Structure formats: structure tokens, C-alpha cells
Amino acid sequence: MPELPEVEVTRLSFADRIDGAVVRAVRLGKPLRWPLGIDVIELLRSHVGAPRRRGKYLWLPLSRRSVDAGGLLLHLGMSGSLAFVSRPAAPGPHDHFDLVTSAGTLRLTDPRRFGAVVWSPSIDSGLAGKLLTGLGVEPFDDEFDGDLLWRALRRRRSAVKVALLGGDIVVGAGNIYACEALFAAGIDPRARSHRISRRRCARLAQAVRETLAQAVELGGSTLRDFRDARGCVGEFQLTARVYGRAGQPCPVCGTPVRRVVQGQRSTYFCPSCQRS
DNA sequence: ATGGGTACCTGTCTGC
DNA sequence: TGCAGACAGGTACCCA
């Protein structure tokens, strides 16, 4: 489910409310991708700071008596979502983590359990450091532009869509938004990365930024079950032009949208509008 | 370093 | 109705 827009929309929907709250209890459900990495009792009475986002990860800083106490790194995997509510229902079979605070309970629900909640001594050490090192630039940073993209892509021979999904050039574009951005830029997702001109890289960088920004504005994509921490659904999927639309007419030229598989993931594109 | 494949896990939908 | 198989928003890790 969650690509950068869903993670950012989730963050925005509870950041103000959890900032400054005190941890009262922690409940663990079934194992997630990694163990929590700290004894739960060590987290009690910690103060939660303002949640930050890096790529598709969220970082919840913690402190005790104004002293830095590391933080929690969260990832929603394929099927995760967070809720932040004052009176949570009894945990269901897919509710695997509750952070009970003075301001409400942050609950991770994740049927497939590809998600993660891990404690690290800081955002750039421990497991958090290891996971975040090697991530590409943030798409909304000034640093991310056509030149950066061109310089990175010219060294790759993989298909451009696979390179975008990799997250080591630019973070945040998952399967939906990579497809949509390539459509917006008019680039064939199967095109070899190193053969894309500087000019087209500029268009692609712009398309990635705009696609992700628009998705944040629309509250993300709710294909089946995404909700932000307030329980609101997203609406970007209503505006998707190729993702999930195999066989349907391209909204620009009417040619049927094609589906191919790249790196074991479905890719959707218009064979007429998108060129190598 | 890069590229390709596998693995993690559960739910839903399709076709026989 | 049952059942096998495909597919799903991600990414770490292993191997060539």
C-alpha cells in the first residue's frame, strides 16, 4: 500500500497530536519484520517528539527528562496503516503494535506483517541508520532535479521504472506513482535508464515531484484499505491514468493501456504516448 | 557496483 | 461451494 504520499499523509494526520505526549504503555502483537530491539519497559515515560519522514519510513523521536532517548523507526510495508485514537478498540488479529500515550494510542495494523517498528539509539545509528543509509534524495528537496536524475540513470542499464522503484536514486515513488510519473513524462517504463536524454530526465524529475505532491494533496491512494491516522481514505486512485487500468483506453490517446511485469511487479503504460 | 531472483505473510479475487 | 493459482501499495538479502 503505502508509498511516500500515504506515509506523509499519515504523518500529517497525527504529528501535531502526538508531539509532546508521554508513553504510558506499549503492546506488541505478532512479530513484524524485525524485533523491536529494546525492552518495552525502557520506553515507558518517554516523551514523543514531532514525527519525521525519510522516504517511506517514519521516525518518532523519544526523550526522557529532556535527554535524547533514541526513537522508533516505523515502516508500513505493503499492507500497514497507522491509527491514532484516544479510545482504541480491543486489538484485532492484525493489530501488532500499540504505543499508548497521554494523547492517544498509535496503532499499527498490518495484515501481511511486512511492516516494521524498531527502536534505535538515533536516526543515523543502529538499525535505523543501517536502513536509511543508501536511500536516495527526497523528491521534494531542491537537490532532486533533472541533472541529478540524469547523472544517476546514465550509470544504469536496468529499465527506468525498475531504477525509480529502487529508491536509491530518489525515494518515495512506489509501483503506483512510478507508473503514473512515467506516463506523465511520456517515457516508456521499459526504456533503458542510461539511454534517457537529459531533457527527458528533467521532465521525469518534474513528473515524479508533481505526481507525489498531487497524491499528498489528495490524501494518498486507497486501493483497498489505506487510511490515514484519522481514518480518512485517499482519493488519488480516482485520478490515476494508467495504474491498474490494463485494457482500458489511455485518457490521452485512447490506445488500450498495457500491463507488463518488471522485476516481479506489474507495470502499466500507454504504448503510444510513452516512448523509449 | 549492478542486476536478478527469492523471501517474508495474509487476504482477495478469478477461473475451473 | 471448493480449490488452486495469481496477485497485491515494499524491500532486505543472497547470488552471479
Side-chain angles (χ1 to χ4, degrees):
Chain A
M1 162 214 342
E3 305 182 34
L4 183 147
E6 290 73 33
V7 176
E8 180 64 3
V9 165
T10 297
R11 186 184 73 84
L12 292 170
S13 68
F14 78 99
D16 287 354
R17 293 183 288 152
I18 204 170
D19 189 5
V22 180
V23 177
R24 301 287 194 217
V26 175
R27 187 193 61 83
L28 301 175
K30 289 186 192 167
L32 295 165
R33 192 185 251 263
W34 296 285
L36 183 58
I38 192 172
D39 198 327
V40 160
I41 201 165
E42 302 286 324
L43 300 175
L44 305 184
R45 294 196 295 282
S46 297
H47 287 249
V48 182
R52 292 157 58 185
R53 181 189 57 73
R54 176 73 176 99
K56 299 171 192 170
Y57 289 92
L58 286 178
W59 173 253
L60 298 192
L62 299 173
S63 61
R64 293 180 72 135
R65 297 194 197 90
S66 302
V67 177
D68 177 54
L72 295 173
L73 188 74
L74 282 73
H75 197 288
L76 302 180
M78 285 281 267
S79 57
S81 61
L82 289 172
F84 189 69
V85 293
S86 42
R87 300 196 63 237
H94 302 310
D95 299 331
H96 304 305
F97 178 80
D98 282 354
L99 187 71
V100 183
T101 78
S102 54
T105 296
L106 184 69
R107 168 172 290 178
L108 175 68
T109 303
D110 184 5
R112 292 178 74 180
R113 289 192 280 129
F114 290 169
V117 182
V118 298
W119 179 85
S120 279
S122 75
I123 195 170
D124 44 28
S125 66
L127 186 50
K130 183 180 166 191
L131 294 171
L132 299 182
T133 315
L135 289 188
V137 300
E138 287 288 329
F140 302 137
D141 274 5
D142 290 341
E143 197 191 344
F144 177 59
D145 60 13
D147 268 4
L148 180 146
L149 188 55
W150 179 73
R151 287 196 304 272
L153 289 181
R154 68 194 288 212
R155 292 187 282 108
R156 312 260 180 131
R157 333 211 107 241
S158 60
V160 60
K161 193 251 191 171
V162 173
L164 279 183
L165 277 185
D168 49 345
I169 300 173
V170 58
V171 293
N175 210 28
I176 298 177
Y177 302 115
C179 290
E180 293 299 317
L182 285 162
F183 176 82
I187 295 172
D188 188 321
R190 302 165 298 177
R192 300 292 115 185
S193 302
H194 64 109
R195 303 197 49 195
I196 300 177
S197 71
R198 217 164 174 146
R199 189 187 177 81
R200 306 188 82 209
C201 283
R203 271 211 282 165
L204 182 54
Q206 179 79 355
V208 166
R209 256 197 315 273
E210 287 177 0
T211 301
L212 294 175
Q214 195 206 351
V216 172
E217 299 252 315
L218 291 175
S221 294
T222 299
L223 292 191
R224 87 180 31 255
D225 51 15
F226 169 71
R227 304 290 163 115
D228 70 16
R230 291 195 141 94
C232 300
V233 300
E235 297 190 331
F236 180 90
Q237 73 285 356
L238 304 174
T239 73
R241 294 188 283 177
V242 285
Y243 184 82
R245 301 188 168 272
Q248 297 177 45
C250 164
V252 171
C253 74
T255 303
V257 170
R258 271 193 68 191
R259 172 184 177 273
V260 295
V261 174
Q262 295 181 290
Q264 295 85 241
R265 316 292 304 279
S266 290
T267 296
Y268 300 89
F269 68 104
C270 171
S272 169
C273 294
Q274 295 176 253
R275 299 302 174 127
S276 308

